[in-house]
Amino acid sequence: MSKEKKMSLTVKVLLGMALGIITGLIINLAGLNEPGSFINVYIVNGLFHVVGKMFVNALKMLVVPLVFFSLICGVCGIGNIKMLGRVGGKAFALYMLTTAVAIATAIAIAAFFNIGHGMNQVTDATFAGKESPPLTQVLIDIIPNNPIAAMADGNMLQIIFFAILVGISMLMVGRKAKGFIAGAEVANEIMMKMVNIIMAVAPYAVFALIAKAVANLGLGLLTSLAGYVGVLVGSLMFHLFITLMVVLWVFSRLSPKMFLKKIRNVQVFAFSTASSNATIPVTMRTVTDRMGVDNSVASFTVPFGATINMDGTAIMQGVATVFIANVYNVDLGITGYLTVILMSVLASIGTAGVPGVGLIMLSMVFTQVGLPVEGIGLVLGVDRLMDMIRTAVNVSGDATVSCIVAKSEKKLDVDVYYDPDAGVLTTDEAIKLDENVEREVAELVKQVKSKED
Ligand code: ASP
């Protein structure tokens, strides 16, 4: 086997990311990205844009069928239906707890550094707020009035609800549903194979996505908002490396070092797509194949987390609130900040993990505490980059809670978790087709056809 073939996909994806950052920086700093220039039109908004978008679409394409089939299999394979309630309860509690801790620490750090203080040039800030759904509607909307529409819209909570109900009903039907259960198992396996195929092109797509994002970045803006960006990134890193890892260790005794090593791949996908939802297939594959979480837990905790768990987004809201309150000289007081914490946690339940949704949640929080919504315009310019970083933190939280819940339910294979090579994929393996199997299947098709004739 040649050296190139042996290189794992994770390493290639990391290389793609590094090269993407370098290429993007060169384009940006050399001023090659002027609107209308060759590089701008054909490379950044041409090649990079097309390759990146195609890849994100491919990931999104997998999300709905993957969640649906794996969840059916998860429910059927759970062995004890009571466990489902426990898994749901534990996951929900941990997701809410980590999000609340995330935003509380973020507010404390931002207040400590007093960011935005004395910065009064706010006149040109503009941002039109959008409505986020009220909690009552979020609750009502958990139940789809049309499951096909839910799938078409990619409404995760509705899909989760329907899939669980299908799984439970299949169990109730029992023997007669055997064929359907086996079919769902095969469908799930097929979907996981598709994840592998798409992972094979990830290094190039990650390169394109990141090169485009960095090339388009307003680097000047980064320095003018250095206080905001610095405190935000610092708080995100604090949450990822300290809070989440302490939570992982305390609740499961699993090694944070191993976790951080294995989660890297997922983080790069989240970073380049800025979408927890689009990252679901990769998160699912990593927590099951690389970390040993049983599908019966992961099929629920991962899509559930992608929707309701947004630690990184909550951190951004905490830091942005302190920043803008200081810029506008508004004293929110302790009650104001408690409201911010509560609102952010609640807002994260009803909003999907897609790019930029954090800003919508922020406008809801601002309205609630009486901060000017147009102030969000101040941080808009750096939000894409911040979105990429906070999404990586969001998915890390999803995986952390999945491991904790699985371990507590004895649904985590500790040997797989501690095996550094478990589930490692190379490009070759990702797209491997066995010639014998191909021939076998062709033979099968022929037989079926001859019977039909
Ligand atoms: N992009 C984030 C996610 O998908 C949400 C946000 O912070 O805007 O998790």
Side-chain angles (χ1 to χ4, degrees):
M1 208 185 256
S2 77
K3 216 174 175 191
E4 203 265 342
K5 276 182 189 164
K6 272 197 234 149
M7 195 193 263
S8 85
L9 263 173
T10 308
V11 177
K12 282 191 181 177
V13 167
L14 286 171
L15 265 176
M17 177 171 111
L19 288 176
I21 293 176
I22 295 171
T23 311
L25 277 178
I26 292 175
I27 294 178
N28 188 296
L29 295 176
L32 300 171
N33 201 18
E34 287 298 312
S37 67
F38 178 83
I39 299 244
N40 178 272
V41 176
Y42 293 102
I43 306 291
V44 176
N45 292 315
L47 185 68
F48 293 170
H49 176 71
V50 173
V51 172
K53 271 280 181 243
M54 283 169 84
F55 176 69
V56 175
N57 277 357
L59 279 174
K60 285 193 197 156
M61 167 181 85
L62 301 184
V63 172
V64 174
L66 180 67
V67 169
F68 184 66
F69 289 120
S70 69
L71 205 46
I72 291 182
C73 299
V75 174
C76 291
I78 217 160
N80 169 4
I81 211 71
K82 270 194 212 128
M83 187 188 128
L84 194 65
R86 276 204 314 268
V87 167
K90 283 182 194 173
F92 185 75
L94 279 169
Y95 282 145
M96 293 300 102
L97 175 82
T98 46
T99 307
V101 172
I103 183 164
T105 33
I107 289 177
I109 296 174
F112 177 78
F113 286 102
N114 209 4
I115 49 165
H117 196 72
M119 186 179 151
N120 276 320
Q121 15 42 346
V122 294
T123 37
D124 56 348
T126 52
F127 183 79
K130 276 199 206 139
E131 280 293 300
S132 194
L135 195 61
T136 42
Q137 198 55 42
V138 171
L139 287 177
I140 296 171
D141 284 346
I142 290 177
I143 303 180
N145 54 25
N146 178 347
I148 306 295
M151 289 185 197
D153 295 343
N155 187 321
M156 211 43 71
L157 291 184
Q158 295 190 344
I159 298 169
I160 291 175
F161 182 86
F162 183 66
I164 291 179
L165 212 56
V166 172
I168 294 176
S169 309
M170 276 158 75
L171 282 178
M172 292 168 100
V173 170
R175 250 175 191 291
K176 268 193 278 175
K178 225 172 75 187
F180 205 96
I181 296 175
E185 287 283 355
V186 178
N188 188 30
E189 211 173 303
I190 293 172
M191 294 316 302
M192 286 311 271
K193 280 277 178 266
M194 275 202 208
V195 177
N196 288 357
I197 297 174
I198 289 171
M199 299 258 289
V201 294
Y204 311 100
V206 163
F207 166 82
L209 282 166
I210 291 182
K212 181 186 172 210
V214 176
N216 282 337
L217 263 187
L219 288 175
L221 217 63
L222 277 185
T223 40
S224 73
L225 284 171
Y228 171 74
V229 170
V231 168
L232 179 48
V233 174
S235 308
L236 287 167
M237 292 307 120
F238 182 85
H239 187 72
L240 172 63
F241 291 110
I242 311 287
T243 312
L244 282 180
M245 291 309 103
V246 168
V247 170
L248 178 73
W249 172 250
V250 168
F251 284 100
S252 72
R253 301 282 147 177
L254 289 168
S255 151
K257 199 169 155 214
M258 193 52 97
F259 179 89
L260 287 171
K261 182 174 154 49
K262 294 192 172 184
I263 196 69
R264 263 196 323 230
N265 202 20
V266 185
Q267 288 168 338
V268 175
F269 274 77
F271 181 77
S272 44
T273 60
S275 168
S276 313
N277 260 22
T279 312
I280 288 176
V282 187
T283 318
M284 202 99 110
R285 188 186 179 279
T286 301
V287 294
T288 51
D289 294 6
R290 303 261 298 126
M291 296 179 178
V293 174
D294 194 83
N295 180 54
S296 57
V297 172
S299 63
F300 173 73
T301 53
V302 171
F304 191 47
T307 313
I308 74 157
N309 181 53
M310 294 185 192
D311 299 353
T313 307
I315 289 169
M316 178 276 278
Q317 291 177 33
V319 176
T321 307
V322 175
F323 177 66
I324 290 169
N326 275 343
V327 170
Y328 281 87
N329 279 321
V330 180
D331 185 11
L332 287 178
I334 195 81
T335 4
Y337 282 114
L338 285 177
T339 315
V340 172
I341 296 179
L342 187 69
M343 289 310 296
S344 298
V345 174
L346 292 181
S348 68
I349 302 177
T351 41
V354 293
V357 80
L359 288 181
I360 299 173
M361 292 157 67
L362 192 59
S363 65
M364 179 182 162
V365 172
F366 275 22
T367 317
Q368 196 69 30
V369 292
L371 275 178
V373 173
E374 66 272 16
I376 297 175
L378 277 179
V379 295
L380 212 56
V382 291
D383 197 67
R384 176 66 193 184
L385 180 65
M386 297 301 110
D387 195 2
M388 293 161 79
I389 304 176
R390 68 184 183 245
T391 308
V393 175
N394 288 348
V395 295
S396 307
D398 302 343
T400 306
V401 170
S402 300
C403 287
I404 295 174
V405 175
K407 178 84 188 324
S408 76
E409 289 292 333
K410 303 203 171 37
K411 292 277 181 187
L412 186 136
D413 189 332
V414 181
D415 292 339
V416 173
Y417 186 91
Y418 283 102
D419 175 0
D421 297 326
V424 167
L425 201 63
T426 61
T427 317
D428 253 22
E429 287 156 5
I431 47 176
K432 193 170 102 199
L433 252 178
D434 188 330
E435 275 178 24
N436 292 332
V437 177
E438 260 182 289
R439 237 176 278 131
E440 227 174 85
V441 174
E443 202 49 50
L444 213 73
V445 173
K446 249 189 239 157
Q447 279 175 17
V448 174
K449 274 206 168 155
S450 64
K451 264 188 202 156
E452 274 173 3
D453 298 339

